[in-house]
Structures are given as structure tokens and as C-alpha cells.
């Protein structure tokens, strides 16, 4: 260590926590399987100037300008509100978020001794230092509303930790995601004569993430009580120890319900229904961006032999081998809404409906030659005037040669 007062080398600490748990359950051996996964990634960095600033006195080394930053990402479940109708300020989820703010403010005002039971002078529905735009109010209110929990028992941010391992979100626990598949329908007597194989699937993935939260240089705890004591004159809120720019909850059923079946006679069919949502709260400009998406996918295929072509291709007129024909049809509906808290106003910023039709045919001429005929049509219908409706069409023939000894 150097006692040079001009020394500016920083002292740094880093801490990382990575949790990854997987499990496989078979309620019905070989037929019904559930894959579970639970993840959590938390990282934190602390830096400061640890130097001797006494200039000849006996004070010694001191901690100067401490600064901390970190990230959090973990698996989560918010599907209680995934299927609610409406979006933006018209949805019941958003209205619960608004009402949760007063509940969270009351809890914080009761716990923080620096509030001392006082109301906000400019907004008496909220406690002193915890008004409707307080970070400590908005984050728990947002998580409670968009995960279908109550504002009365949702965990609050924790500022009691004073070391590199302390996590202000330690009371938020990761929840498992899953993928389930069942392929035993074809062995049931009722379906055995119809299907060769049937697989039913369901998969859910959800995350809760807070990116790049940083410590505030204005945070003060005068009497070391574990709570903020300095109120910012501009916002009227206590300055929290960590500043969080945004928090995001994303979840997707991919698929919510999917079935892939192979019928007797060479016919295959597929159907999937997918649904997803991503809600992000910005604590910089106080808005919620919510993207909802649902998608339908239909697939049909069959195999035939002995078809006579209307023209000769590579010397072939009548097909001796199998001709595999497939038809895929998809419909996806995406919409993104930005809701501004100050104006209580929702605006559709982007979104589109996408319709796809993709038939194709594959034929193996010989061991070395394969023909593929394809057609792909994609129609996009936007929700806003910022983009134009478009139709994209692709079609053609692919010939594959295999060179081998």
C-alpha cells in the first residue's frame, strides 16, 4: 500500500452467485416426462479509493468514494396475469399496480423511522419520502401486480447488508420453469388404431431481471438505522442506496399446448398455440412497456407414391419413391404498448399481425439426388402507421446432389 496522497489506484471487489438446478420427473415412466429448471445469476462489484489522506497526520488509511454496481437475473413465474385481457392502462393488471403503490408506501413509511408516520405534504395518499414515483414503492408494486401477488405481503427491497455479498433483492426467490411432454396416447386402445405416435407438449419459461443497478452517492443513513434518511428536494423521495434503471418480467409458453401426431396411412399433423408477454418498468422516464404475443401454428403432411408428373424432370415422369408433402400455416399477433405513469396514458408503439403459408414437397430421386419444391408467403399487417403492410413471396425448386465415393 502506498501512502502517496496522489495515488489514485482503486480497490475493487467482485462477487458472483450462480445457481442452476435441473430435475426430471416421470409421473408415468416412458410416457409422461417433466423437465424442471431453476436459475439465478447475481453479480456485484465494489470499488473505492483506499488511501492515506492524512498528509502527515496519524489518521491512516480511509475509505473514499465507495461505489457499487450489480445485476440480477433469475427464473420466475408470473403466469397468474399472463391471460388477462386488455393492455396498458385499461388492463386490470396495471390498475392493480397503481393501487399497490399506496399499500407499499404505507408499509415503507411504517418501517422507516425517519418518516416518523408523516404524510407526503404534496400527496397525502402517500407517506413522507415514499410518494408515487419512489423507486422503493414502484419496484415491489410492479412485481406484485404483474406476478399476481398482493401488495400487502410482497417483499420490499433490503438495505441492511453492508458487504460485497449483500443483495437488496434477496427476498425475491427464483421459481422453476418447466417443459412437459406426454407420448402415451398412441398406446390407449381408443387411439391405437388411429395413430402411430402422438406427443403432447407444454413448456413455460419466465425470468425476472434487473440490469445494472448502481449505488447512489447521495444515499445517507444519519443514525445508522438501516434506512435512507436523505430526501431529494426535487423528487420528494428518500434517496435509495441502489438506483435501479429498469426491471423486466418476461414469460412465454412455447408452446402452451402443442400436439404432434403421426396417423396411420402416412399422414402427419401438428398444432401449437404459443403465448408470451414482456413487461418492463423504466425508472428513468416512469413508463411501462408491455409486449403481448400469441401465435397459432398448423402443420399437415402426407406421403404418397406412384404420382405421375405433368412434365418430365431429370428423366422422371412417374414417381417410384415416396413424395413427402407438407403444409405449414402460421398466425402471429404482436402488440407493444407504452404506458406513461404521469399522464396515465397508453400508446401502441408497435405491433403487427403476421400470416404465413408455406407448402413444400420433397422427393428422393435416387441415393444422390433430392428434389424440393417450396412456396412461402408471408403477409404483415402493422398496428401503427409507422410501417407499411407488406407481402413477401418466395418460391422455387432445390436440387441436391450428394457426391460420394
Amino acid at each position: 500500500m502506498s501512502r502517496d496522497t496522489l495515488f489514485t489506484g482503486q480497490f475493487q471487489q467482485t462477487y458472483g452467485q450462480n445457481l442452476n438446478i435441473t430435475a426430471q420427473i416421470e409421473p408415468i415412466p416412458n410416457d409422461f416426462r417433466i423437465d424442471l429448471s431453476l436459475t439465478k445469476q447475481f453479480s456485484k462489484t465494489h470499488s473505492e479509493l483506499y488511501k492515506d489522506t492524512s498528509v502527515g497526520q496519524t489518521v491512516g488509511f480511509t475509505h473514499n468514494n465507495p461505489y457499487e454496481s450489480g445485476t440480477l437475473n433469475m427464473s420466475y413465474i408470473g403466469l397468474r396475469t399472463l391471460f388477462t385481457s386488455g393492455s396498458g392502462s385499461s388492463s386490470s393488471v396495471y390498475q392493480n399496480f397503481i393501487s399497490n403503490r399506496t399499500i407499499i408506501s404505507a408499509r415503507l413509511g411504517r418501517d422507516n423511522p425517519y418518516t416518523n408516520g408523516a404524510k407526503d405534504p404534496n400527496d397525502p395518499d402517500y407517506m413522507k419520502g415514499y410518494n408515487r414515483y419512489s423507486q422503493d414503492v414502484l419496484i415491489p408494486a410492479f412485481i406484485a401486480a404483474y406476478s399476481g401477488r398482493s401488495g400487502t405481503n410482497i417483499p420490499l427491497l433490503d438495505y441492511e447488508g453492508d458487504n460485497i455479498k449483500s443483495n437488496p433483492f434477496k427476498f425475491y426467490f427464483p421459481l422453476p420453469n418447466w417443459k412437459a411432454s406426454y407420448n402415451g396416447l398412441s398406446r390407449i386402445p381408443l387411439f391405437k388404431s388411429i395413430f402411430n405416435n402422438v406427443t403432447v407438449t407444454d413448456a413455460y419459461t419466465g425470468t425476472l431481471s434487473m440490469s445494472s443497478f448502481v449505488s447512489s452517492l447521495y444515499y445517507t443513513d444519519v443514525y445508522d438505522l438501516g434506512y435512507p434518511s436523505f430526501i431529494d428536494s426535487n423528487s420528494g423521495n428518500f434517496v435509495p442506496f441502489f438506483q435501479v434503471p429498469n426491471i423486466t418480467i418476461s414469460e412465454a409458453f412455447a408452446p402452451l399446448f402443442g400436439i404432434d401426431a403421426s396417423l396411420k396411412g402416412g399422414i402427419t399433423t401438428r398444432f401449437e398455440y404459443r403465448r408470451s408477454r414482456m413487461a418492463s418498468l423504466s425508472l428513468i422516464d416512469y413508463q411501462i412497456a408491455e409486449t403481448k404475443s400469441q401465435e397459432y401454428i398448423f402443420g399437415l403432411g402426407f406421403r404418397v407414391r406412384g404420382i405421375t408428373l405433368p412434365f418430365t424432370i431429370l428423366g422422371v415422369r412417374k414417381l417410384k419413391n415416396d413424395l413427402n408433402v407438407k403444409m405449414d400455416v402460421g398466425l402471429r399477433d404482436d402488440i407493444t404498448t407504452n404506458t406513461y405513469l404521469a399522464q396515465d396514458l397508453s400508446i401502441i408503439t408497435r405491433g403487427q399481425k403476421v400470416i404465413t403459408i408455406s407448402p413444400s414437397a420433397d422427393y428422393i430421386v435416387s441415393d444422390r439426388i433430392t428434389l424440393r419444391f417450396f412456396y412461402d408467403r408471408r403477409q404483415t399487417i402493422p398496428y401503427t402507421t409507422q410501417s407499411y403492410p407488406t407481402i413477401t413471396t418466395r418460391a422455387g425448386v432445390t436440387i441436391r446432389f450428394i457426391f460420394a465415393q
Side-chain angles (χ1 to χ4, degrees):
M1 297 184 182
S2 173
R3 293 190 177 274
D4 186 350
T5 57
L6 299 179
F7 178 70
T8 58
Q10 285 189 328
F11 167 72
Q12 291 185 337
Q13 285 180 304
T14 60
Y15 173 76
Q17 184 185 75
N18 194 335
L19 179 65
N20 192 342
I21 300 175
T22 59
Q24 188 177 97
I25 305 173
E26 288 192 1
I28 304 177
N30 302 320
D31 285 344
F32 186 25
R33 187 179 71 181
I34 302 175
D35 296 304
L36 300 174
S37 63
L38 185 147
T39 61
K40 178 182 179 181
Q41 294 87 34
F42 171 71
S43 63
K44 193 175 175 184
T45 301
H46 173 88
S47 62
E48 64 180 30
L49 292 174
Y50 186 62
K51 59 186 296 185
D52 186 357
T53 59
S54 57
V55 190
Q57 301 177 9
T58 58
V59 177
F61 287 90
T62 57
H63 302 272
N64 303 278
N65 299 332
Y67 180 81
E68 294 185 353
S69 62
T71 61
L72 174 67
N73 188 295
M74 64 183 181
S75 57
Y76 202 67
I77 297 177
L79 59 84
R80 292 181 182 178
T81 60
L82 176 60
F83 299 97
T84 54
S85 60
S87 60
S89 59
S90 63
S91 69
S92 60
V93 180
Y94 177 81
Q95 295 303 322
N96 288 337
F97 163 68
I98 295 299
S99 61
N100 281 341
R101 294 189 300 181
T102 55
I103 299 174
I104 302 297
S105 177
R107 292 175 58 190
L108 290 167
R110 183 176 61 250
D111 295 342
N112 191 339
Y114 296 111
T115 300
N116 197 26
K119 297 286 187 178
D120 188 299
N122 300 317
D123 198 345
D125 290 335
Y126 294 85
M127 303 301 291
K128 176 184 175 182
Y130 296 109
N131 65 32
R132 63 186 63 206
Y133 298 113
S134 167
Q135 171 187 287
D136 290 342
V137 170
L138 290 175
I139 290 179
F142 174 80
I143 296 177
Y146 284 84
S147 59
R149 302 175 64 180
S150 172
T152 58
N153 54 26
I154 193 74
L156 304 177
L157 274 64
D158 178 72
Y159 294 135
E160 293 183 358
D162 58 355
N163 58 65
I164 187 64
K165 296 182 180 180
S166 60
N167 181 358
F169 314 104
K170 67 179 181 180
F171 295 120
Y172 293 94
F173 303 105
L175 299 174
N177 298 163
W178 68 83
K179 179 180 180 181
S181 61
Y182 177 67
N183 58 5
L185 287 177
S186 59
R187 284 186 281 275
I188 298 176
L190 180 63
F191 302 104
K192 191 173 183 180
S193 60
I194 303 175
F195 300 101
N196 288 325
N197 184 51
V198 181
T199 302
V200 180
T201 57
D202 172 81
Y204 176 84
T205 302
T207 60
L208 172 67
S209 60
M210 305 176 190
S211 60
S212 302
F213 57 86
V214 298
S215 59
S216 174
L217 296 178
Y218 293 103
Y219 173 80
T220 305
D221 183 1
V222 176
Y223 299 111
D224 197 22
L225 300 177
Y227 292 91
S229 62
F230 174 68
I231 294 181
D232 178 45
S233 58
N234 291 324
S235 65
N237 291 310
F238 287 114
V239 175
F241 185 83
F242 282 107
Q243 298 282 355
V244 181
N246 60 71
I247 174 174
T248 302
I249 295 177
S250 63
E251 52 187 338
F253 274 108
L256 173 62
F257 175 77
I259 182 169
D260 196 339
S262 175
L263 285 71
K264 303 289 185 180
I267 297 177
T268 60
T269 182
R270 180 172 68 100
F271 170 77
E272 286 188 2
Y273 173 60
R274 302 181 178 185
R275 186 143 186 170
S276 64
R277 178 187 65 177
M278 182 180 69
S280 181
L281 169 66
S282 172
L283 294 160
I284 299 176
D285 51 6
Y286 301 104
Q287 65 171 301
I288 294 178
E290 184 177 9
T291 300
K292 288 187 173 182
S293 175
Q294 58 180 343
E295 183 176 8
Y296 299 88
I297 300 174
F298 305 89
L300 179 66
F302 59 90
R303 184 175 65 250
V304 294
R305 177 179 292 184
I307 294 180
T308 302
L309 300 177
F311 47 84
T312 302
I313 299 178
L314 299 178
V316 177
R317 185 68 181 271
K318 186 175 182 179
L319 304 183
K320 298 180 180 180
N321 297 325
D322 291 344
L323 175 67
N324 295 314
V325 180
K326 295 181 180 180
M327 168 69 79
D328 292 321
V329 178
L331 172 62
R332 191 177 78 246
D333 190 349
D334 303 323
I335 185 169
T336 298
T337 305
N338 282 22
T339 304
Y340 301 90
L341 304 187
Q343 295 85 6
D344 197 22
L345 175 66
S346 295
I347 299 175
I348 297 177
T349 56
R350 60 179 179 272
Q352 58 188 5
K353 290 183 179 179
V354 180
I355 304 171
T356 58
I357 302 175
S358 304
S360 64
D362 295 272
Y363 180 69
I364 300 176
V365 179
S366 64
D367 294 340
R368 298 187 178 183
I369 302 176
T370 302
L371 293 178
R372 183 174 185 270
F373 304 86
F374 67 91
Y375 175 84
D376 182 80
R377 183 182 187 273
R378 182 180 299 267
Q379 181 178 2
T380 301
I381 306 171
Y383 277 105
T384 66
T385 57
Q386 297 176 355
S387 57
Y388 299 98
T390 60
I391 297 177
T392 304
T393 303
R394 297 170 57 250
V397 179
T398 301
I399 302 176
R400 178 185 296 175
F401 294 90
I402 301 176
F403 296 94
Q405 295 291 338

